[in-house]
Amino acid sequence: MKQYLYILIITCLLAACTGPQVPEQYTQSKISPRIYPDYQEVTVPINVAPLNFELLGPADEVVVRFSAGEEEIVCDGPKARPDIEDWKTLTAKAKGQAISVEVFARDKEQWTRFKPFNIYVSPDSIDPWISYRLISPSYVSYEELTLNQRSLETFDEEVFVDNMLCSTESGGQCVNCHNFQQYNPDRMQFHARQTHGGTLIAYDGELEKIDMNNDSLISAGVYPAWHPTMKLIAYSTNKTLQCFHTSALEKIEVLDAESDLILYDIDRHEVTTIEQQPNELEIFPCWAPDGKTLYFCSAHFEYEADSVDMGEIMMRAQEVKYNIYRKTFDPQTKTFGPRELVFDAAATDSLHPSMSATFPRISPDGRWLLFTLGEWGCFHIWHHDADLWIMDLNSGKWKKEGGKRIEDNGDDYEETVRPLDEINSIDTESYHSWSSNGRWIIFSSRRYDGVFTRPFIAHIDAEGRGSKPFELPMRNPDVHRQFLKSYNVPEFMKGRVSLTPQQVASIMKEEGTPITYKSK
């Protein structure tokens, strides 16, 4: 009896050591496996977390083999979830090459091997952390939101701002527009509106709440852009409204009825005007990496009424088309030059109809301008037609033409600015950011269901070409098909934010430091 138990125990231990086995006999299929997320033929950073996925469709048993050279990982079950340390070993082996992925499925007694696919491993690493806002895709529950951070090298996720910690039955606020100075998690700002409204600025361990409301400004700072090296933040200051479509596919619309650009000096608690032109709606500032140029969007709109009329801009919303401009900046005098047209999206020509360009972001090497293009308006995250476009700012022809569309040679135009068709989907793409090495972008997309934004990552090569995007890897690959919140404004970070939700809530409940306004 004892001998039998010893044999049984040894047999069980051997079975546990061997782990899942790849079937030796199977039928080869010419069909690729249906998996979620779709990680087939994607390019990933060498330091990314495992690309866990599940096989869609019925199967009695599933085995997946990841291999690169003599290294391999074998997983069993409908969800392939490699161990993180094993995955790091495999990606190191596949650096600059590819991981081969084989999916085997058993139906009754018959095994099938689907057509193998590759996961290409770029030698370009990615910033280890990202941050984003999680919010329900409905205006009625905007208070229940958080600012989260997530490790791209593991699946660790933390909340560093919890909006509900400051909400009460009688009042609450909305937290939005987080931004960092040069990917530094210790230099961050975000804005809160309503009950405990104010701008919170964290700088090397100090956290301060600023009250930017002033009779000389339209509003407090809204859309931010932190100067790359100086303690300066450019903002748009906006009068916005929210309305609803009655027949279009879009549900909610956010409109900008009035806006200017301002500059906030952190040390002096002082605001000055950057751009305040009549009949212009200026929005979405963005610094060039050298800090000597400020890009922004501006739409020309003339009210028929004698003053700003919410009802009028709502009825004429599809006339609002934004172009991209820039202004030089002198760091010594903190002054700006005149506006210069960079991309004339609103023009109608033989190449493209009149459009609206928003959310400019410049690559860290200063060469590429990435932006969202849609038919009209400023809030493209609600527009199903919104796509990512890229412009080569080093193009001599574009500089010569002064930002105007090129009609005499379509090829030259396409080489200068083009849609990122290799990245775009049939639905919304927006809220994009560059990695610190300029080789990756992260953006929010509604490509799966048209309702929830999910973060996707894509590689950008030296010539501005993108790879097939891959969805943010999750510990449970099925989570995003059940998760009822959207990811807004994903931003790369070089480390994790050290603030806790309790620290942030405590400062938010305080009175903010008032600013002084210095006229232009």
Side-chain angles (χ1 to χ4, degrees), residues 285-336:
C286 169
W287 293 98
D290 62 5
K292 297 180 180 179
T293 306
L294 183 72
Y295 289 77
F296 62 97
C297 299
S298 184
H300 185 78
F301 187 84
E302 297 185 25
Y303 284 97
E304 295 175 356
D306 295 334
S307 59
V308 174
D309 187 323
M310 295 292 197
E312 181 180 342
I313 198 166
M314 190 186 308
M315 297 303 296
R316 297 174 57 196
Q318 295 188 19
E319 299 177 28
V320 181
K321 312 275 179 115
Y322 288 81
N323 294 325
I324 299 177
Y325 296 85
R326 64 186 169 199
K327 298 167 76 75
T328 58
F329 176 70
D330 185 340
Q332 298 298 320
T333 62
K334 299 179 183 177
T335 56
F336 293 87

Side-chain angles (χ1 to χ4, degrees), residues 202-448:
Y203 195 90
D204 293 350
E206 298 293 327
L207 181 62
E208 185 179 20
K209 180 180 177 180
I210 306 299
D211 181 3
M212 212 173 289
N213 288 300
N214 187 282
D215 291 341
S216 299
L217 302 176
I218 297 173
S219 70
V222 180
Y223 300 108
W226 202 314
H227 189 277
T229 58
M230 303 176 70
K231 294 178 76 172
L232 302 171
I233 305 176
Y235 291 95
S236 64
T237 176
N238 306 66
K239 181 180 288 185
T240 59
L241 70 151
Q242 189 169 247
C243 50
F244 304 88
H245 294 274
T246 57
S247 59
L249 289 176
E250 286 80 5
K251 305 294 189 298
I252 303 172
E253 193 61 55
V254 177
L255 299 173
D256 187 19
E258 187 180 10
S259 58
D260 296 322
L261 296 182
I262 61 173
L263 184 70
Y264 176 62
D265 188 315
I266 295 175
D267 285 335
R268 296 183 178 182
H269 297 110
E270 182 180 88
V271 167
T272 54
T273 299
I274 299 174
E275 183 85 3
Q276 194 180 29
Q277 293 201 23
N279 302 322
E280 290 288 330
L281 304 173
E282 302 99 342
I283 199 171
F284 296 134
C286 169
W287 293 98
D290 62 5
K292 297 180 180 179
T293 306
L294 183 72
Y295 289 77
F296 62 97
C297 299
S298 184
H300 185 78
F301 187 84
E302 297 185 25
Y303 284 97
E304 295 175 356
D306 295 334
S307 59
V308 174
D309 187 323
M310 295 292 197
E312 181 180 342
I313 198 166
M314 190 186 308
M315 297 303 296
R316 297 174 57 196
Q318 295 188 19
E319 299 177 28
V320 181
K321 312 275 179 115
Y322 288 81
N323 294 325
I324 299 177
Y325 296 85
R326 64 186 169 199
K327 298 167 76 75
T328 58
F329 176 70
D330 185 340
Q332 298 298 320
T333 62
K334 299 179 183 177
T335 56
F336 293 87
R339 65 160 56 189
E340 174 192 355
L341 181 64
V342 176
F343 180 59
D344 193 355
T348 302
D349 55 42
S350 60
L351 293 173
H352 294 282
S354 177
M355 302 289 279
S356 183
T358 65
F359 216 67
R361 290 295 182 99
I362 312 298
S363 61
D365 62 2
R367 179 177 178 182
W368 304 106
L369 166 61
L370 188 65
F371 60 95
T372 303
L373 195 69
E375 290 185 5
W376 55 274
C378 66
F379 220 68
H380 285 339
I381 193 63
W382 287 112
H383 296 170
H384 295 286
D385 67 303
D387 283 330
L388 296 180
W389 281 56
I390 194 167
M391 176 190 290
D392 186 353
L393 294 173
N394 289 350
S395 169
K397 179 134 191 175
W398 185 262
K399 289 181 179 178
K400 182 179 177 182
E401 296 294 329
K404 296 180 180 178
R405 291 184 184 274
I406 301 168
E407 298 189 53
D408 60 335
N409 189 324
D411 292 337
D412 287 339
Y413 176 82
E414 291 300 334
E415 290 174 0
T416 302
V417 57
R418 69 177 183 87
L420 277 173
D421 290 331
E422 63 272 33
I423 287 176
N424 292 323
S425 69
I426 62 173
D427 218 298
T428 307
E429 268 73 52
S430 187
Y431 287 153
H432 44 277
S433 300
W434 291 92
S435 65
S436 62
N437 62 7
R439 283 292 171 259
W440 303 93
I441 62 170
I442 187 168
F443 61 97
S444 291
S445 177
R446 293 186 173 177
R447 61 188 60 201
Y448 282 152

Side-chain angles (χ1 to χ4, degrees), residues 20-23 61-65 74-77 102-105 111:
Q21 297 294 307
V22 174
E61 192 174 353
V62 179
V63 172
V64 178
R65 175 163 59 189
V74 180
C75 304
D76 62 348
E102 302 163 89
V103 179
F104 301 84
W111 281 94

Side-chain angles (χ1 to χ4, degrees), residues 430-477:
S430 187
Y431 287 153
H432 44 277
S433 300
W434 291 92
S435 65
S436 62
N437 62 7
R439 283 292 171 259
W440 303 93
I441 62 170
I442 187 168
F443 61 97
S444 291
S445 177
R446 293 186 173 177
R447 61 188 60 201
Y448 282 152
D449 54 28
V451 177
F452 295 93
T453 54
R454 304 298 186 217
F456 285 78
I457 299 171
H459 185 262
I460 304 292
D461 68 16
E463 298 306 316
R465 293 184 295 266
S467 66
K468 177 182 176 180
F470 65 95
E471 187 179 351
L472 176 69
M474 304 297 287
R475 191 183 306 275
N476 177 2

Side-chain angles (χ1 to χ4, degrees), residues 1-156:
M1 183 64 179
K2 289 183 179 179
Q3 185 178 8
Y4 171 76
L5 289 174
Y6 290 149
I7 294 173
L8 181 61
I9 292 171
I10 293 172
T11 302
C12 292
L13 289 173
L14 288 173
C17 292
T18 56
Q21 297 294 307
V22 174
E24 297 180 359
Q25 295 184 344
Y26 52 81
T27 299
Q28 179 61 52
S29 173
K30 296 181 181 180
I31 300 174
S32 298
R34 289 179 57 244
I35 62 171
Y36 175 82
D38 179 11
Y39 290 142
Q40 299 185 57
E41 309 302 320
V42 298
T43 299
V44 302
I46 189 170
N47 60 324
V48 76
L51 268 62
N52 298 342
F53 66 84
E54 65 176 321
L55 179 66
L56 303 178
D60 295 329
E61 192 174 353
V62 179
V63 172
V64 178
R65 175 163 59 189
F66 303 84
S67 60
E70 69 276 10
E71 296 288 341
E72 69 174 34
I73 302 172
V74 180
C75 304
D76 62 348
K79 296 180 180 181
R81 297 193 279 191
D83 175 79
I84 290 180
E85 294 304 318
D86 292 342
W87 177 261
K88 288 181 179 179
T89 301
L90 191 64
T91 54
K93 181 67 177 180
K95 180 180 179 180
Q97 301 179 57
I99 295 172
S100 176
V101 184
E102 302 163 89
V103 179
F104 301 84
R106 181 176 64 82
D107 181 14
K108 298 179 181 178
E109 300 302 320
Q110 179 63 52
W111 281 94
T112 298
R113 178 179 182 261
F114 291 98
K115 182 181 177 181
F117 63 89
N118 290 322
I119 295 174
Y120 300 97
V121 180
S122 170
D124 297 322
S125 62
I126 199 167
D127 297 294
W129 288 83
I130 58 171
S131 60
Y132 41 80
R133 183 173 71 155
L134 290 180
I135 184 171
S136 300
S138 170
Y139 77 104
V140 296
S141 55
Y142 70 90
E143 285 184 61
E144 188 185 350
L145 60 86
T146 57
L147 293 183
N148 290 35
Q149 57 185 342
R150 156 72 196 272
S151 169
L152 291 179
E153 298 178 334
T154 68
F155 301 108
D156 295 341

